[in-house]
Amino acid sequence: MPLPPFTPIVEALPEAVPFVGPEAIERHTGIATRARIGANESGFGPSPRVIATLRNAAPDVWTYPDSENYALRTALAAQLGIASDEIAVSEGIDGLMGLLVRLFITPGDIVVTSLGAYPTFNYHVAGFGGDLRFVPYRDSHEDPEALAAMARQTNARMVYLANPDNPMGSFWPASDIERFVDAVPETCLIVLDEAYLETASDQGPPLDTDRPNLLRLRTFSKAYGLAGMRCGYAIGSRRLAGAFNRVRNHFGVNKLAQIAALAALDDQPYLHDAVTAIAAARSRIAQIAGDNGLAALPSATNFVAIDCGSDGPFAVRVLEALGQQGVFVRKPTAPGLDHHIRISAAPQRELDLLSEALPLALRQAHSAA
Amino acid sequence: MPLPPFTPIVEALPEAVPFVGPEAIERHTGIATRARIGANESGFGPSPRVIATLRNAAPDVWTYPDSENYALRTALAAQLGIASDEIAVSEGIDGLMGLLVRLFITPGDIVVTSLGAYPTFNYHVAGFGGDLRFVPYRDSHEDPEALAAMARQTNARMVYLANPDNPMGSFWPASDIERFVDAVPETCLIVLDEAYLETASDQGPPLDTDRPNLLRLRTFSKAYGLAGMRCGYAIGSRRLAGAFNRVRNHFGVNKLAQIAALAALDDQPYLHDAVTAIAAARSRIAQIAGDNGLAALPSATNFVAIDCGSDGPFAVRVLEALGQQGVFVRKPTAPGLDHHIRISAAPQRELDLLSEALPLALRQAHSAA
């Protein structure tokens, strides 16, 4: 027996990465990525003012970051019309997910999510011994009604819903989300993942921080173009937002991340331009799909799911054939969703490469059948 | 009862910050920090090549970091003469501590450390329900022999030793550390915190990654001058280093942190210069102490502990009186250590301010007695 022993929960965990990154794929395949359109990053980049601010701040990285994320929380609070202690900042939504599972889940507690939804959430739930229960998607949507019903039936401690959804790009208007929130028991924490909210047609229900069981997660990784900086935030009651202070790595958010996020928030005209560019890129991706006889799903996010018109193994072959041409995309893996591939909104150059690569990829996928 | 409920461990935790940062102190007191010499950062800053590299990389922050920290682990492995999978990278040593406690500690497990040693380690142990046992310092040193004895007697799961030590700056030569490691049972994980190793007179025992219960923690926050970037690493057996992959936030290390750390590692001449400057600053701090009739302790770190020549409350008054003059320092709080204040090595300007401020601070501390 190897010594010292891991905890029983850790002993049972694999050394797994929820997502294999494009750099890792490059190292394994030896094929250079020419179009990086698989991780729902924003190829439109951050605001030029953010880049200039980062350059100016580079000599200052010898000091620790502010452990209270004070300036960023204050700016977010002003923008959102809530109090700064109703906001918690951490190393991306992924970091917040690990912390919130730790706050609420003991081994065996039931956590409800959708079959095929964000795998990193599941990774953290498993990491603390939670008992995951899965609700199937309804068509290409997460099913809020069924999620709430499952939460009630199982006496779940936590229920996860992404709106807009990843990996399908679908969206429920604010009124549907409000109905979902009302239908979940107050004993169950609602984790509403709004990573892609900036690109959606409405901004969700009003921010009701009086609701004791609703935590909303947002990020600078998507429309703001700062995925590399790892900065996300949670919005909830003072009790919920403050609870992160019990367990978080207080000096964990990089100083340049704090500075970049603050500068990004301050440049709303750029955000507007980026959202417009993302919408145009979504249309272009839909057109490329149509040109190849495939259907693109409507999307409220910075990516588009494309129905490859056959089964899951066929879609895997399309993805692999795109990868052979240096076009990095990802795909859903759950039954009922797995015949899609998922393309990130990107500048023209990347989508031109997609447009060139997709016909050959489809031919190769067909001929390998 | 507020709902949903926290886990029992979390319910019992305070919303505490192990260290109150200088920005928070500024906000609370309204006094601007003129000399930032309390957090053991390096006022000498990072290498100019690191700053230039960061500036060049600023436009690239739209992509997620490499989840495997591959380039940095490969470069560290080459420098250290070990394998890259004997290294784990995370958001500073603080981040590694949270993860390693989670890997090994279940509620009630005993963890041994020194009374007055690094409080963030204790914060994480408490955060997972560990049972902390404290060994007093011997003079101004952590006491390896007593720590090992306590680990044996209590059947501890984990024992912590910082070498060089924080907050006292003391250091045990490699041979003493080797004796300590041999004296700890193999069932007990040894957490050897080497955050300040670059400024010490030897680089510790040879890297023996075959030892199943030794994990060494290092950082880019101190001599490398990158505290704001949050990048630390752990060195241990493949089993130990790989275990972090079971629980870590895989995309948690900021992309610019990866880039900066790699560039810093690549500029060893700058590190040598920084270490030289830090040593000179230590001498200057000792001289300032002596000019004021106080004794400075020998230091192997980037800070110096100064014996204020009286009791703990007196040292608190000195610290507060320095703070009134905008000179930010910290101090040990444990009995037997608490009559010291702790001054970070810094450039001439900051130490000039210390030199000006200390006489008044001492007079004020005396007159308030």
Side-chain angles (χ1 to χ4, degrees):
Chain A
M1 179 178 141
L3 298 169
F6 299 128
T7 73
I9 290 176
V10 170
E11 186 63 45
L13 294 173
E15 289 187 11
V17 186
F19 285 119
V20 179
E23 293 85 359
I25 293 171
E26 278 188 340
R27 287 191 291 272
H28 299 151
T29 64
I31 300 168
T33 300
R34 297 189 303 148
R36 186 174 167 124
I37 50 176
N40 304 343
E41 301 153 331
S42 179
F44 302 103
S47 152
R49 282 169 53 189
V50 170
I51 294 171
T53 303
L54 279 174
R55 285 182 167 143
N56 287 337
D60 303 332
V61 297
W62 63 273
T63 64
Y64 283 103
D66 173 22
S67 61
E68 297 181 356
N69 299 294
Y70 180 84
L72 180 55
R73 286 190 302 112
T74 302
L76 283 167
Q79 189 204 44
L80 299 169
I82 59 176
S84 63
D85 57 2
E86 294 169 335
I87 299 167
V89 173
S90 189
E91 302 92 325
I93 284 181
D94 287 359
L96 289 162
M97 284 179 174
L99 294 172
L100 68 89
V101 171
R102 180 174 161 199
L103 288 172
F104 291 100
I105 300 302
T106 55
D109 285 346
I110 290 172
V111 178
V112 173
T113 185
S114 303
L115 183 63
Y118 192 49
T120 305
F121 177 74
N122 302 352
Y123 164 82
H124 287 300
V125 172
F128 288 96
D131 179 1
L132 281 159
R133 304 296 172 91
F134 298 101
V135 172
Y137 275 61
R138 183 150 49 92
D139 304 324
S140 59
H141 286 66
E142 287 184 285
D143 187 341
E145 207 174 316
L147 286 164
M150 174 80 90
R152 284 194 305 274
Q153 287 157 19
T154 60
N155 194 24
R157 286 284 195 202
M158 195 177 283
V159 58
Y160 174 87
L161 174 68
N163 195 56
D165 172 62
N166 176 17
M168 302 310 290
S170 53
F171 183 64
W172 292 106
S175 54
D176 292 280
I177 297 299
E178 285 180 316
R179 201 156 42 238
F180 164 71
V181 170
D182 287 338
V184 173
E186 284 209 338
T187 49
C188 177
L189 184 77
I190 300 166
V191 181
L192 183 58
D193 182 347
E194 301 182 318
Y196 297 96
L197 195 67
E198 288 84 2
T199 49
S201 53
D202 74 54
Q203 293 302 289
L207 292 173
D208 176 8
T209 51
D210 286 337
R211 190 169 285 266
N213 66 328
L214 176 59
L215 202 59
R216 299 165 76 158
L217 307 180
R218 299 184 182 177
T219 183
F220 289 92
S221 295
K222 303 303 179 183
Y224 283 108
L226 288 170
M229 299 310 278
R230 317 313 302 122
C231 189
Y233 56 105
I235 302 165
S237 69
R238 282 176 168 78
R239 173 178 178 268
L240 288 178
F244 288 94
N245 290 329
R246 300 178 185 225
V247 295
R248 70 188 178 92
N249 179 5
H250 288 271
F251 292 85
V253 179
N254 182 294
K255 182 174 179 174
L256 292 184
Q258 294 174 335
I259 290 170
L262 198 58
L265 204 62
D266 197 44
D267 193 354
Q268 291 296 314
Y270 179 82
L271 178 67
H272 180 266
D273 290 350
V275 168
T276 303
I278 288 166
R282 287 194 305 234
S283 299
R284 172 96 198 276
I285 294 168
Q287 171 154 6
I288 293 169
D291 291 348
N292 287 274
L294 307 179
L297 275 62
S299 169
T301 63
N302 73 347
F303 61 85
V304 176
I306 295 176
D307 181 346
C308 287
S310 180
D311 56 9
F314 178 80
V316 169
R317 291 200 298 276
V318 175
L319 177 137
E320 289 175 348
L322 286 170
Q324 287 290 322
Q325 298 177 72
V327 176
F328 163 64
V329 304
R330 285 201 179 110
K331 67 179 294 303
T333 55
L337 311 178
D338 64 348
H339 53 293
H340 296 85
I341 59 173
R342 198 194 65 179
I343 316 280
S344 303
Q348 182 177 342
R349 194 193 70 84
E350 279 75 20
L351 298 189
D352 287 348
L353 286 167
L354 172 69
S355 175
E356 290 164 22
L358 187 56
L360 176 59
L362 288 168
R363 280 200 303 278
Q364 289 178 328
H366 277 297
S367 66
Chain B
M1 178 179 142
L3 300 168
F6 299 128
T7 73
I9 290 176
V10 170
E11 186 63 46
L13 294 174
E15 287 187 11
V17 186
F19 285 119
V20 180
E23 293 85 358
I25 293 171
E26 279 188 341
R27 287 192 292 271
H28 299 150
T29 64
I31 300 167
T33 301
R34 297 189 303 147
R36 184 172 168 126
I37 51 177
N40 303 343
E41 300 154 333
S42 179
F44 302 103
S47 152
R49 282 168 54 188
V50 169
I51 294 171
T53 302
L54 280 174
R55 287 183 165 142
N56 287 337
D60 303 332
V61 296
W62 64 274
T63 63
Y64 283 103
D66 173 21
S67 61
E68 297 181 356
N69 299 295
Y70 181 84
L72 180 55
R73 287 191 300 113
T74 301
L76 283 167
Q79 189 204 44
L80 299 169
I82 58 176
S84 62
D85 56 3
E86 294 169 335
I87 298 168
V89 173
S90 191
E91 303 92 327
I93 284 180
D94 287 359
L96 289 162
M97 283 179 173
L99 294 172
L100 68 88
V101 172
R102 180 174 163 199
L103 288 172
F104 291 101
I105 299 303
T106 55
D109 284 348
I110 290 172
V111 177
V112 173
T113 185
S114 302
L115 183 63
Y118 193 49
T120 304
F121 177 73
N122 302 352
Y123 164 82
H124 287 300
V125 172
F128 288 96
D131 179 0
L132 280 159
R133 303 296 173 88
F134 297 101
V135 172
Y137 275 62
R138 181 150 51 92
D139 304 321
S140 61
H141 285 68
E142 288 185 285
D143 187 341
E145 206 174 317
L147 286 164
M150 174 81 89
R152 283 194 305 273
Q153 287 155 19
T154 60
N155 195 23
R157 287 284 195 202
M158 195 178 283
V159 59
Y160 174 87
L161 174 68
N163 196 56
D165 173 61
N166 176 18
M168 302 310 290
S170 53
F171 182 65
W172 293 105
S175 54
D176 292 279
I177 298 299
E178 284 180 316
R179 202 156 41 239
F180 163 71
V181 169
D182 286 339
V184 174
E186 285 210 337
T187 49
C188 177
L189 184 77
I190 301 166
V191 181
L192 184 59
D193 182 348
E194 301 182 319
Y196 297 96
L197 195 66
E198 287 85 1
T199 49
S201 54
D202 76 52
Q203 293 302 291
L207 292 173
D208 176 7
T209 50
D210 286 337
R211 191 169 285 264
N213 67 327
L214 176 59
L215 202 58
R216 300 167 76 158
L217 307 180
R218 298 185 181 178
T219 183
F220 289 93
S221 295
K222 302 302 178 186
Y224 283 108
L226 289 171
M229 298 310 278
R230 316 314 302 124
C231 190
Y233 55 105
I235 301 165
S237 69
R238 282 177 168 77
R239 174 178 178 267
L240 288 178
F244 288 94
N245 289 329
R246 301 178 185 225
V247 295
R248 70 188 177 94
N249 179 6
H250 288 271
F251 291 86
V253 179
N254 183 294
K255 183 174 178 174
L256 291 184
Q258 295 174 336
I259 290 170
L262 198 57
L265 204 62
D266 197 44
D267 193 354
Q268 292 296 313
Y270 179 82
L271 178 68
H272 181 265
D273 291 350
V275 168
T276 303
I278 288 166
R282 287 194 306 235
S283 300
R284 172 96 197 276
I285 294 168
Q287 171 154 5
I288 293 169
D291 291 345
N292 287 274
L294 306 179
L297 275 61
S299 169
T301 63
N302 73 345
F303 61 86
V304 177
I306 295 177
D307 182 345
C308 288
S310 180
D311 56 9
F314 178 81
V316 169
R317 291 200 299 276
V318 174
L319 176 137
E320 289 174 348
L322 286 171
Q324 288 290 323
Q325 298 178 72
V327 175
F328 163 65
V329 304
R330 285 202 179 110
K331 67 180 293 304
T333 56
L337 311 178
D338 64 351
H339 54 291
H340 297 85
I341 58 172
R342 197 194 65 178
I343 317 280
S344 302
Q348 183 177 342
R349 195 193 71 85
E350 279 73 21
L351 297 188
D352 286 349
L353 286 166
L354 172 69
S355 176
E356 290 164 23
L358 187 56
L360 175 60
L362 288 167
R363 280 200 303 278
Q364 289 178 328
H366 277 295
S367 66

